[in-house]
């Protein structure tokens, strides 16, 4: 059976360790990944660089990601949160959370909502081209 591509999921994106790799270098395939994510889905930031305001996050990535990626990043929305990234998520919707280092307490909240499968662990350290594989999920 052909895989059914879910369109218009909510996608929550961390930056460091997900879009930006070691040495503050853009993750390989970040442009392709962001293009597909923002064209097909409803994307939101889930990063400490953004707590309800996109100005700090755009300032941060401006010096790191290529111009084409920045254009897609402009389509990513900000949501206010305080302590846990899990405050950001819409548990009534299908969503994916791209994150390299979730806290245990965040994983527990996902489990409580029966959303453990929504966590997509990104590992650019062991798999620098990880985004190339993960594009298939979106
Ligand atoms: Mg991170």
């Amino acid at each position: 059976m052909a895989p059914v591509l879910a369109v218009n999921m909510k996608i929550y994106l961390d930056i460091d360790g997900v879009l930006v790799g070691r040495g503050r270098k853009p993750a390989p395939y970040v442009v392709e990944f962001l293009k597909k994510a923002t064209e097909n889905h409803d994307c939101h930031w889930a990063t400490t660089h953004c707590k309800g305001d996109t100005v700090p996050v755009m300032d941060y990535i401006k010096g790191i990601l290529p111009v084409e990626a920045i254009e897609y990043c402009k389509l990513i929305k900000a949501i206010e949160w305080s302590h846990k990234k899990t405050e950001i998520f819409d548990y009534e919707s299908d969503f994916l959370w791209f994150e390299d280092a979730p806290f245990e307490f965040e994983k527990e909240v996902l489990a409580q909502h029966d959303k453990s499968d929504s966590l997509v662990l990104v590992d650019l350290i062991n798999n620098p081209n990880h985004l190339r594989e993960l594009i298939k999920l979106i």
Side-chain angles (χ1 to χ4, degrees):
M1 204 167 80
V4 177
L5 178 68
V7 174
N8 213 13
M9 279 183 293
K10 296 207 169 169
I11 288 185
Y12 300 99
L13 293 166
D14 183 27
I15 295 181
D16 294 310
V18 173
L19 305 181
V20 174
R22 267 195 174 157
R24 288 204 172 169
K25 294 224 168 61
Y29 302 94
V30 68
V31 171
E32 294 87 342
F33 179 85
L34 285 171
K35 179 179 196 296
K36 203 169 167 208
T38 54
E39 283 181 352
N40 291 344
H41 304 285
D42 184 19
C43 297
H44 301 80
W45 292 119
T47 164
T48 51
H49 299 289
C50 180
K51 290 196 162 180
D53 179 1
T54 57
V55 172
V57 70
M58 294 307 290
D59 277 351
Y60 177 66
I61 56 174
K62 205 164 59 184
I64 303 172
L65 295 184
V67 175
E68 204 182 344
I70 301 292
E71 289 305 307
Y72 297 122
C73 287
K74 289 178 184 169
L75 303 170
I76 304 172
K77 299 166 191 167
I79 291 180
E80 270 184 59
W81 62 287
S82 54
H83 303 297
K84 303 176 186 179
K85 290 182 179 177
T86 48
E87 295 165 35
I88 299 170
F89 307 151
D90 172 7
Y91 295 98
E92 303 301 313
S93 297
D94 285 338
F95 68 85
L96 292 178
W97 172 31
F98 291 85
E99 168 67 47
D100 65 317
F103 289 108
E104 280 308 313
F105 58 77
E106 291 172 328
K107 289 199 249 182
E108 281 165 24
V109 175
L110 284 185
Q112 284 159 14
H113 287 88
D114 204 19
K115 290 287 192 186
S116 296
D117 290 346
S118 291
L119 172 61
V120 181
L121 264 184
V122 182
D123 183 1
L124 296 178
I125 292 172
N126 292 304
N127 187 357
N129 294 329
H130 205 179
L131 290 186
R132 182 176 59 189
E133 295 166 28
L134 296 175
I135 284 173
K136 295 171 193 157
L137 299 178
I138 58 174

